[in-house]
């Protein structure tokens, strides 16, 4: 009841990212690294169609730890980088996140702790296999004392003459938690020789992903599928890596394989739905989101997506009722802001610019850091010829989300109109850096170069 699976609960805090001493290739070959933004789009939609995260990866359909961002360059960027769609990254090291719920008997009481680990003779307990395993679970999961857990696991492995795969896996988990990834890799590989277990494949893949070796992780997952055909967690692992590497066709194929084995897998349905939506097939995406609704998923995000799919599929009668339901189910201000932002889009689509203006204002009232709302509000201000307000809003948007090309390009276009060619050129270059294939940015830069040449 209180055990939390180690395989999935994994996200890097600022401490792990900024103080990581594991050396990886600074300039990795294209398509072999998860740390560098992927510039080429392997069959997936471009940033003009699908929004991207700060690291240059398209937004996924299902929020998981580490899906929304990759390794930031500076501490300031790390603090700003979102972990989920809206929350800031926790300023903790690894130990702070693995908090387990204690059972009533194990809660700290006034007389002292349930077990005083510092007084235990670990060498004695290591010789009693069953007792040692129970003690290890307590130290590692409830007390979160990785150092003593590692000592106990090392002694128990030695006592079992290095033949017990379970202890090797626990040693690997301890090394992984301490950031010693190469040592963890050795232990998991050694455990695999003794016993084929799905968990060991998943732990080893986690190590390779943390070492920024997605190709090796993919090979490992496929090796696992040879031994455990149709295993959902392995198929999901492959799909996630392909998704992070921008290879959406391959990711969709594997998510479909997941659904053949388990047709109630929420992650697979949501990711396939979002891929169809961004591939300009909102009717098909609508079927996937309605499937989630039939399964009993009932939250703000789902109704928000349903509203957007209905709007783009021209089912206008259902659009507003879906967004109303989303607003009533939103749990925090960030979710409310996203719904108002999408309602603003709907209003622009039907030509009601006053309603759109109100919606974007409401989005900013709920979430003052909503860069997309600042950008769209600036476009509406430009239509009213309020140039100064538009410039201020675009500057705010580009400082909040430097990875988005739209605010940079809009600022460049506006500066060009009012004759500030220098600012226009700088902003256009930023837009092109964020989205190299953007045709309008290229044309604007060419025009400005001709201007400068004439001068």
């Amino acid at each position: 009841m209180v055990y939390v699976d180690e395989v999935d609960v994994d996200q890097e805090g600022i401490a792990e990212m900024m103080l990581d001493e594991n050396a990886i290739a600074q300039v990795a070959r294209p398509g072999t690294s998860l740390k560098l933004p992927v510039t080429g789009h392997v069959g997936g939609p471009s940033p003009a169609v699908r929004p991207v995260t700060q690291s240059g990866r398209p937004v996924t359909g299902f929020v998981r730890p580490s899906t929304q961002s990759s390794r930031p360059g500076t501490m300031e960027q790390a603090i700003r980088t979102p972990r989920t769609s809206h929350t800031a990254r926790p300023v903790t090291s690894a130990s702070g996140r693995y908090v387990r719920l204690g059972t009533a008997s194990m809660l700290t009481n006034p007389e002292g702790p349930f077990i005083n680990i510092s007084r235990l003779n670990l060498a004695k307990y290591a010789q009693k296999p069953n007792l040692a395993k129970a003690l290890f679970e307590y130290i590692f999961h409830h007390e979160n004392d990785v150092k003593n857990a590692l000592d106990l696991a090392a002694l128990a492995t030695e006592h079992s003459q290095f033949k017990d795969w379970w202890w090797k896996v626990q040693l690997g988990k301890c090394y992984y938690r301490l950031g010693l990834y190469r040592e963890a890799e050795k232990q998991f590989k050694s455990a695999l020789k003794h016993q084929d277990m799905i968990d060991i494949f998943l732990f080893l893949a986690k190590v390779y992903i943390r070492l920024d070796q997605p190709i090796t992780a993919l090979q490992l997952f496929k090796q696992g599928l040879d031994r455990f055909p149709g295993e959902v967690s392995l198929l999901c692992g492959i799909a996630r890596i392909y998704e992070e590497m921008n290879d959406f066709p391959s990711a969709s194929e594997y998510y479909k394989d997941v659904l053949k084995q388990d047709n109630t897998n929420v992650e697979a349905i949501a990711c396939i739905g979002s891929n169809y939506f961004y591939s300009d097939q909102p009717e098909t995406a609508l079927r996937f989101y309605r499937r989630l609704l039939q399964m009993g998923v009932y939250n703000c995000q789902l109704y928000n997506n349903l509203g957007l799919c209905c709007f783009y599929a021209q089912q206008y009668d259902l659009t507003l009722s879906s967004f109303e339901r989303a607003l009533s189910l939103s749990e925090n201000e960030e979710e409310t802001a996203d719904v108002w932002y999408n309602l603003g889009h709907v209003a622009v689509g039907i030509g009601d610019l006053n309603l759109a203006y109100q919606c974007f204002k409401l989005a900013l009232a709920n979430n003052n850091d909503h860069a997309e709302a600042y950008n769209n509000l600036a476009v509406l201000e430009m239509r009213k010829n309020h140039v100064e307000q538009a410039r201020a809003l675009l500057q705010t948007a580009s400082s909040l989300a430097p990875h988005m090309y739209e605010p940079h390009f809009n600022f460049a276009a506006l500066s060009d109109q009012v004759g500030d060619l220098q600012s226009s050129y700088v902003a256009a270059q930023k837009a092109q850096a964020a989205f190299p294939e953007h045709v309008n940015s290229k044309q604007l830069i060419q025009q400005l170069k001709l201007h400068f040449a004439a001068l």
Side-chain angles (χ1 to χ4, degrees), residues 197-268:
M197 290 287 287
I198 296 163
D199 266 14
I200 305 176
F201 283 108
L202 295 173
F203 281 126
L204 195 49
K206 259 176 63 167
V207 171
Y208 286 131
I209 289 167
R210 193 54 71 85
L211 285 170
D212 196 26
Q213 296 181 9
I215 308 292
T216 315
L218 282 173
Q219 288 168 351
L220 182 77
F221 278 132
K222 286 170 182 173
Q223 188 186 328
L225 281 174
D226 291 340
R227 302 186 195 181
F228 300 97
E231 171 53 41
V232 169
S233 53
L234 298 175
L235 289 167
C236 261
I238 295 175
R240 287 175 187 178
I241 292 176
Y242 275 130
E243 198 173 48
E244 285 197 49
M245 291 168 72
N246 281 23
D247 188 350
F248 291 102
S250 301
S252 287
E253 286 304 312
Y254 276 98
Y255 279 129
K256 284 172 185 171
D257 287 343
V258 169
L259 291 181
K260 285 173 191 168
Q261 306 296 330
D262 172 14
N263 59 9
T264 59
N265 189 293
V266 174
E267 179 182 345

Side-chain angles (χ1 to χ4, degrees), residues 399-419:
S399 66
L400 284 170
H403 61 285
M404 280 168 53
Y405 76 93
E406 292 97 332
H408 295 305
F409 174 73
N410 289 342
F411 187 78
L414 181 60
S415 299
D416 185 46
Q417 280 176 21
V418 299

Side-chain angles (χ1 to χ4, degrees), residues 126-145:
Q127 292 170 13
K128 301 175 181 176
N130 293 338
L131 189 59
K133 286 180 181 180
L135 184 61
F136 177 87
E137 288 291 330
Y138 173 76
I139 296 173
F140 189 72
H141 291 304
H142 286 280
E143 292 297 322
N144 208 4
D145 187 344

Side-chain angles (χ1 to χ4, degrees), residues 64-173:
R64 300 177 292 270
S66 80
T67 54
Q68 295 286 320
S69 60
S70 78
R71 193 166 294 252
T74 63
M75 183 62 83
E76 183 189 1
Q77 200 181 351
I79 293 167
R80 276 189 182 176
T81 304
R83 181 181 76 257
T84 65
S85 55
H86 51 260
T87 55
R89 206 172 266 284
V91 194
T92 58
S93 62
S95 59
R97 291 193 311 277
Y98 298 96
V99 179
R100 295 297 188 278
L101 302 171
T103 52
S105 60
M106 291 180 179
L107 292 174
T108 307
N109 53 44
E111 290 83 46
F114 178 69
I115 296 175
N116 192 338
I117 299 163
S118 58
R119 292 188 180 180
L120 295 179
N121 181 353
L122 296 178
K124 186 177 84 174
Y125 285 102
Q127 292 170 13
K128 301 175 181 176
N130 293 338
L131 189 59
K133 286 180 181 180
L135 184 61
F136 177 87
E137 288 291 330
Y138 173 76
I139 296 173
F140 189 72
H141 291 304
H142 286 280
E143 292 297 322
N144 208 4
D145 187 344
V146 183
K147 177 73 175 67
N148 277 316
L150 181 66
D151 292 343
L152 177 60
L155 289 165
T157 310
E158 206 175 317
H159 182 258
S160 65
Q161 297 175 332
F162 305 98
K163 288 178 183 170
D164 191 334
W165 66 271
W166 192 89
W167 281 114
K168 289 184 177 178
V169 170
Q170 307 315 312
L171 266 176
K173 279 162 68 174

